[in-house]
Each structure stands twice: as C-alpha cells, then as structure tokens.
Amino acid sequence: MALTPEQVEAFHRDGYLLLESFLSHSQCDALLKRTYDIIAEADLNLHPTTTFSTRRDEESQHVKTDYFINSGDKIRFFFEEGALDGEGKLKGAVDKSLNKIGHALHALEPEFQKVALGERMGELARSLDLQKPAVVQSMVIFKQPHFGGEVNTHQDSTFLYTSPMRLYGVWIALEDADLENGCLWFAPGTHTTGIGRRMLRTVKDGRIELKFEGEDPRIDPQRFVPVPVKKGGMVLIHGEVVHKSEENKSKRSRNIFTFHMYDAGRSEWSKDNWLQPTEQLPFPHIY
C-alpha cells in the first residue's frame, strides 16, 4: 500500500486522502465479527454506562471519568447519549447502543493488530517518510441507525498533540459510509492553520482531570466537502485538518475502525495529552 508521489502531494495539499479497497470485504467482515464477539463476551456489569459526546466543553460525561482517562491500554465501552433513559439505563440492546469501543484494540486484539501494525501500514508510513511510526490508540466507532451522533467540527491534534505536528489518523469503513448515514466531511487545506484548541491533562487534588483551552478555527461551512467511502476504503487524515460527520438518521449503521499514529522519531508526544503510554502498553511501533 505504498502511496504514489501524486497521492502524497494530494494528502499534503488537502490534509486528507481517500484510498479505495484498503481492506477486502472479508477483512471488514472479520473485524465486525470480532467487534460483536467482544461485546458479547464482555461482562458489562463491570463497566459503567459512560456516554461519549463531542460537545466542546467539560460537560461531556466521558471527560470527567477515570473510566475514559485510563482506557488507553484497555478495551472499554462508550454509549450514545440517546441510548440511555432518564435514569441512565440502556433503552435497547447493548450492540445497538454503543458509540465506540476503545482504545487498545490494536494491541490487545489480533484481528485489529494485523491491520494497524501490519505490513500494508508499514508501506504507507514509509511513503509518508515516517521514521518511527507508533500507534497510540484505536477504536471501533459506531453510527447507530436513526440516532448515531453527530461529530462536531474538530482537529484530531486537539486531543492528541505532538511537537512538531506529526499525527495521522487512519479511518477505515467497515460498511459503506455515505451522505445518508454519516460519512466524513473535510475542509481541505485547513491543516495549514495550526491548532486553536487543546484538551489538556491536569492534576487537581491528586486526581487527573481534563480541561479545554483555546478555540477551534472558524471555518466557513461552504468549505466542507463530503467524502463517501465504500466498504473497505480508507481515509488518511492529517492531525490538523478540520473535519466532521453528521448524525445518522438512516436505517443503516455506519461502523468504522480507526486508529492514530505519530512519528516518534521526529516528534515528541505531549505530556499534556489525555492519552499516555503505560508500563502495560508502551505505544507499539509499526516498524
């Protein structure tokens, strides 16, 4: 999966790149099967019903919880806000209520590890001239039918900051992602404007807390373009490009596998990031 010079040029120009057929349909099906097996095998009585939201403030429930902050070397479950009733209980089946599973699928689950740390990713990383690419987190993100949540405009480096900026997202459609069920939208070229907002890891009274500083760039809505992706397609995302996705109001799910990597050979991982390597799980290198 080495990129051509034209593809590398397009990525650096736009801040994103669509690669069709990165995975076969059978590979996508294997990842989906393992995802639902993980859900079926889990004792969710041991997991709080923590919801995940992309609201731009500390009112988002996950920002306040140790369950989220300490999930970097584990597999944990985060639910859609619309999936809970007034008492915080699930309205429906678990597998139809999740927003995402994260954040160490790439290290703890062989099916996902083969993709995130495999030879094809190595070829792609070499095409980008990455010296020491390290995978820092991975997720299956669900867009549930009818109420799969909107993801507000954001930059990935708001949450995962490196100096200098050498963060890259890999977003793989396990099912068709289109205008009806919540495909990605990008504002091309916005990766050249820098980071306006940071999520920062702080310690208060001996407890880790997260807070936001700064503001997101103001982008004309007309600049955004949709990027539909067929099952198995992949979108490479620059850490600073502004992007979003809409709510899924269709009858179809839009499930994806995504992970982030950075060049540990040419940039420094911020100690202020919410996500930090641990003794149990140092960030694994692709090569």
Side-chain angles (χ1 to χ4, degrees):
M1 188 47 68
L3 301 179
T4 67
E6 293 76 18
Q7 288 173 319
V8 173
E9 180 182 1
F11 173 70
H12 288 305
R13 180 192 67 227
D14 297 331
Y16 66 94
L17 179 70
L18 171 61
L19 299 172
E20 301 285 5
S21 302
F22 182 75
L23 295 184
S24 67
H25 281 205
S26 62
Q27 287 174 303
C28 291
D29 292 341
L31 293 179
L32 283 171
K33 180 182 185 303
R34 184 56 196 144
T35 296
Y36 288 110
D37 285 346
I38 290 170
I39 296 169
E41 293 164 4
D43 181 357
L44 291 181
N45 291 320
L46 303 177
H47 298 266
T49 50
T50 302
T51 60
F52 186 88
S53 170
T54 61
R55 287 198 304 269
R56 289 179 167 80
D57 54 43
E58 288 83 348
E59 293 307 310
S60 300
Q61 183 195 15
H62 70 277
V63 170
K64 300 179 178 181
T65 65
D66 293 337
Y67 184 78
F68 172 80
I69 294 170
N70 297 320
S71 63
D73 57 3
K74 303 173 183 68
I75 295 176
R76 289 185 166 173
F77 305 85
F78 302 90
F79 294 88
E80 287 283 2
E81 290 183 309
L84 304 183
D85 63 19
E87 298 180 353
K89 297 180 180 179
L90 293 178
K91 297 176 184 177
V94 171
D95 62 340
K96 301 299 183 184
S97 305
L98 284 162
N99 172 285
K100 71 174 186 176
I101 299 175
H103 289 94
L105 293 164
H106 62 285
L108 302 180
E109 285 291 334
E111 287 290 344
F112 294 92
Q113 188 178 63
K114 284 188 293 186
V115 176
L117 301 175
E119 183 177 343
R120 301 190 85 200
M121 276 311 306
E123 293 175 355
L124 187 147
R126 288 187 178 92
S127 300
L128 295 172
D129 195 29
L130 305 191
Q131 187 177 90
K132 190 184 290 185
V135 177
V136 300
Q137 71 164 3
S138 54
M139 301 169 281
V140 170
I141 299 179
F142 306 86
K143 282 269 194 186
Q144 303 289 357
H146 305 297
F147 65 89
E150 172 190 9
V151 177
N152 293 320
T153 57
H154 67 284
Q155 298 166 290
D156 290 348
S157 287
T158 286
F159 310 97
L160 306 171
Y161 190 84
T162 73
S163 180
M165 209 311 296
R166 291 186 181 275
L167 180 79
Y168 307 88
V170 176
W171 191 100
I172 302 171
L174 302 181
E175 302 170 318
D176 290 352
D178 53 40
L179 290 170
E180 291 184 348
N181 68 352
C183 68
L184 292 172
W185 292 68
F186 288 91
T190 49
H191 61 300
T192 62
T193 60
I195 295 297
R197 180 169 167 263
R198 293 278 309 278
M199 175 194 269
L200 300 174
R201 178 187 182 104
T202 63
V203 179
K204 183 178 181 181
D205 299 327
R207 183 176 180 274
I208 297 173
E209 294 186 352
L210 303 178
K211 67 175 183 177
F212 288 99
E213 287 187 356
E215 295 184 1
D216 286 314
R218 296 181 180 272
I219 307 297
D220 183 346
Q222 298 300 317
R223 288 190 64 178
F224 285 90
V225 295
V227 182
V229 186
K230 291 292 187 182
K231 179 177 179 176
M234 185 263 270
V235 185
L236 180 65
I237 304 172
H238 190 285
E240 292 182 271
V241 71
V242 179
H243 57 292
K244 63 178 183 175
S245 65
E246 304 293 345
E247 183 180 5
N248 181 9
K249 296 182 179 180
S250 78
K251 297 179 181 180
R252 296 176 293 117
S253 58
R254 190 231 64 183
N255 299 332
I256 65 102
F257 173 51
T258 185
F259 56 93
H260 288 88
M261 60 182 176
Y262 85 108
D263 190 349
R266 292 197 174 104
S267 61
E268 182 177 351
W269 187 254
S270 174
K271 297 187 186 307
D272 294 328
N273 286 335
W274 77 267
L275 175 67
Q276 296 295 325
T278 65
E279 286 188 17
Q280 292 76 17
L281 181 57
F283 295 150
H285 296 154
I286 296 176
Y287 50 75

